[in-house]
Amino acid sequence: MVRLDGSRIYSRMAVGGKAHGLSKIRAAGLPTPPAFTVTVDACRQYFESRDGLMARLWPQIKEGVTWLQAQTDHTFGRGPVPLLVSVRSGAPASMPGMMDTVLNLGINDDVERVLAEKCGARFAADTHQRFRELFCQVVAPDEQVPADPFLQLRAAVTAVFESWNSPRAVSYRRHHGLEGKMAGTSVTVQAMVFGNLDDQSGTGVLFSRNPLTGANEPYGEWLPGGQGEDVVSGKSDPLPLTVLAQTHPAIHSQLIDAATWLENDGADVQDIEFTVEAGKLYLLQTRAAKRSARAAVTIAVALQQEGRIDVDEALGRVTPAQLDTLLTPVIEPSALAEATVVATGLPACPGVGAGRVVTDCESAEEAFDEGEDVVLARETTSPDDVGGMIVARAVITEQGGATSHAAVVSRELHTPCVVGCGKGALRGLADTDVTVDGVTGHVYAGLLPLTRPSEDGDPAMATLLGWARERSRVQVHKVGTPHAAGLPVVDHRDPSTLTTALAAGATALAAEHPLPTLLALLRLTGNVDGGMR
């Protein structure tokens, strides 16, 4: 167990991404509630011997709680000023929403009464209800919530460890090639701050640049009177971040300044979770932002041109799979004139996806196994829906905003996504064919004709192509051009074609799309590193 006291910045591999970000925030003197973290290696030890690890760990956790009490001048589990905590997971590589979190832990009937006297009955009852619902969902679905705050805490810590091997977490790691690359998850225990306290409180998410387009402008959402889970779950429809600027300009300015510093320090776009409690800003998390394929290309080129990263790093931040997404077909413009819009929502991840609408993950996975293209339609998504999201051609939801679970995970998967179409708006679409445009937010009836974009027509991709050609000892020409005549044809999606060509000493190849092929070659030859972020 380590204290995140600002004395040092802990590595992502040691304490997980969340605690790494918090240690950076605290060391920089930016506002964040105090926290301590159970290390990633403790998770490995937990699965070797659950009882043995907890026997060694529990006294350290109690010491950590004592330290939080001293830092906050609050008392865990009782008055005069009760301390409540969040218990959150954090793997070395970001796995958004895949593991468990418990908020408002430490409350019981007695603590609720103390909070009611100090902060009002509505706040106290709301906070207690939020805790009960999340604890029963995450920790003890079929058991009574313990009244003893320390029993709550012990159960929550073990639940976070256990969530490392949950089906959704395993599926996510397998899909992203992360199996065997991490020892487990850390567990961060942090003093709670309350966005639901009063009319000067709220919660939100800020991206230091637009994660959909890559535009160099702040992007985010703000939910007055809410807690972070309200935004991420998609069950509440937040407001644009511009509303925070209008209603609390000083807090908005402080937030933007913090985001600018964190982006400069990390040389990458930041995804920042924040809470405002009684008019005071607190940063609860910062991490490299999940972004659409379009944003990944735009941001990589922009950061290089701004002098933040070098060319090799820029090439390493774009994957062949992201380029595949950008080079997939888009809706034929002439077809849009006759197309029927059946739903409209917020664009959450660019791209076009089409197929038969299914409303549950089991149907999506079964259809995928049969070779059928499907669009997953949900009221809102949760981590349990990830299996269906992985196989769907597009994801559409009735509720949620651009920082909801559906939006964040779809950007990570590079799956076209439209959220917040309206309650009941998707019910009549089940078993019909639709085409989803994640750029405009429109869902069209039927399977519309598509056309294929070109690398050369996109300035950012053209820049990457120039850099890749400069650094590759093997030239790659587009199939069908004069330079490609007679050359071996390779496909970056089949690495064996690349390794065979390299082994044969080829110095020039032909490919349908030269840029992703060049990036794959640079990775094979060690010229760029597409490392874990």
Side-chain angles (χ1 to χ4, degrees):
M1 187 274 290
V2 297
R3 298 174 181 176
L4 306 181
D5 57 8
S7 61
R8 59 176 291 190
I9 297 174
Y10 290 94
S11 76
R12 187 178 279 104
M13 293 304 292
V15 300
K18 189 173 280 91
H20 165 74
L22 286 174
S23 69
K24 183 184 293 188
I25 290 170
R26 191 78 187 266
L30 297 171
T32 187
F36 66 86
T37 295
V38 177
T39 65
V40 169
D41 191 60
C43 185
R44 178 190 60 79
Q45 296 178 49
Y46 174 83
F47 286 109
E48 290 177 351
S49 172
R50 288 168 169 79
D51 292 341
L53 182 277
M54 290 307 294
R56 298 190 300 274
L57 178 62
W58 187 241
Q60 298 178 47
I61 289 178
K62 292 175 77 172
E63 289 178 8
V65 171
T66 299
W67 179 71
L68 290 183
Q69 291 179 144
Q71 289 284 298
T72 60
D73 203 23
H74 295 181
T75 309
F76 189 58
R78 57 187 173 85
V81 183
L83 168 69
L84 304 188
V85 299
S86 63
V87 181
R88 307 176 76 177
S89 61
S94 180
M95 296 174 56
M98 296 303 107
M99 293 175 293
D100 287 337
T101 291
V102 181
L103 305 179
N104 305 300
L105 188 144
I107 196 169
N108 54 29
D109 291 342
D110 292 338
V111 170
E112 181 183 342
R113 281 191 285 272
V114 175
L115 286 176
E117 292 172 4
K118 289 196 163 292
C119 307
R122 183 204 62 79
F123 163 74
D126 179 51
T127 301
H128 199 175
Q129 180 61 25
R130 288 171 180 271
F131 168 68
R132 279 193 297 256
E133 288 179 357
L134 198 54
F135 191 91
C136 289
Q137 173 189 328
V138 167
V139 181
D142 303 313
E143 299 175 25
Q144 188 128 11
V145 179
D148 183 341
F150 281 98
L151 291 180
Q152 297 172 8
L153 180 56
R154 187 178 182 116
V157 170
T158 58
V160 171
F161 280 148
E162 291 290 345
S163 71
W164 174 252
N165 283 332
S166 67
R168 64 178 183 258
V170 171
S171 175
Y172 185 92
R173 291 198 298 275
R174 187 176 298 127
H175 178 77
H176 289 282
L178 296 173
E179 277 295 297
K181 295 184 178 179
M182 300 180 286
T185 178
S186 65
V187 183
T188 296
V189 180
Q190 185 171 35
M192 282 290 300
V193 287
F194 300 97
N196 61 327
L197 180 62
D198 55 27
D199 60 5
Q200 295 299 306
S201 303
T203 191
V205 175
L206 166 69
F207 294 88
S208 56
R209 302 188 190 211
N210 190 311
L212 281 73
T213 66
N216 188 6
E217 57 191 17
Y219 179 92
E221 294 178 323
W222 162 247
L223 183 64
Q227 290 193 353
E229 193 68 15
D230 300 331
V231 177
V232 175
S233 70
K235 294 178 181 177
S236 299
D237 291 329
L239 304 172
L241 198 67
T242 51
V243 175
L244 177 65
Q246 294 162 4
T247 56
H248 302 282
I251 292 173
H252 180 267
S253 178
Q254 184 186 8
L255 177 64
I256 297 301
D257 288 346
T260 301
W261 188 92
L262 289 166
E263 179 181 290
N264 288 338
D265 182 71
D268 203 358
V269 181
Q270 296 298 296
D271 170 0
I272 299 167
E273 181 183 329
F274 67 94
T275 285
V276 176
E277 181 188 83
K280 183 175 180 181
L281 174 67
Y282 295 90
L283 307 182
L284 304 182
Q285 175 171 286
T286 188
R287 61 187 176 191
K290 302 300 181 187
R291 63 207 71 176
S292 71
R294 159 52 51 210
V297 169
T298 300
I299 290 167
V301 172
L303 290 176
Q304 191 283 330
Q305 293 175 340
E306 292 167 17
R308 311 281 189 91
I309 59 177
D310 61 24
V311 167
D312 290 331
E313 176 71 13
L315 289 169
R317 291 195 182 183
V318 179
T319 67
Q322 288 170 328
L323 294 169
D324 287 343
T325 300
L326 287 180
L327 294 168
T328 53
V330 297
I331 298 172
E332 178 67 51
S334 61
L336 292 174
E338 304 293 327
T340 300
V341 176
V342 293
T344 300
L346 293 171
C349 186
V352 174
R356 178 173 63 89
V357 175
V358 296
T359 57
D360 62 83
C361 292
E362 293 76 14
S363 298
E365 293 180 66
E366 288 171 6
F368 176 79
D369 290 340
E370 295 295 322
E372 183 183 6
D373 292 339
V374 294
V375 171
L376 179 64
R378 301 285 286 163
E379 182 177 348
T380 184
T381 66
S382 74
D384 292 330
D385 294 318
V386 168
M389 296 176 74
I390 286 174
V391 301
R393 290 294 184 182
V395 175
I396 51 179
T397 71
E398 294 183 350
Q399 294 179 261
T403 58
S404 65
H405 175 270
V408 171
V409 174
S410 292
R411 287 194 287 271
E412 170 73 358
L413 298 173
H414 310 300
T415 299
C417 180
V418 175
V419 298
C421 294
K423 200 159 180 66
L426 306 180
R427 285 180 194 154
L429 300 183
D431 287 323
T432 67
D433 288 335
V434 300
T435 300
V436 178
D437 189 335
V439 174
T440 64
H442 293 322
V443 181
Y444 299 98
L447 306 178
L448 300 184
L450 306 177
T451 185
R452 189 176 292 277
S454 163
E455 293 157 291
D456 298 328
D458 181 285
M461 279 198 282
T463 298
L464 288 175
L465 183 58
W467 290 341
R469 282 184 166 147
E470 288 173 0
R471 276 156 175 72
S472 176
R473 62 180 177 84
V474 179
Q475 292 303 301
V476 180
H477 302 286
K478 187 174 180 62
V479 169
T481 62
H483 291 298
L487 294 177
V489 177
V490 295
D491 183 349
H492 66 277
R493 288 159 294 196
D494 181 0
S496 66
T497 65
L498 302 179
T499 54
T500 300
L502 289 174
T507 58
L509 302 169
E512 181 185 7
H513 292 301
L515 179 53
T517 303
L518 282 163
L519 288 189
L521 285 168
L522 289 171
R523 282 164 167 76
L524 280 173
T525 56
N527 287 44
V528 299
D529 175 28
M532 184 170 62
R533 296 190 67 78

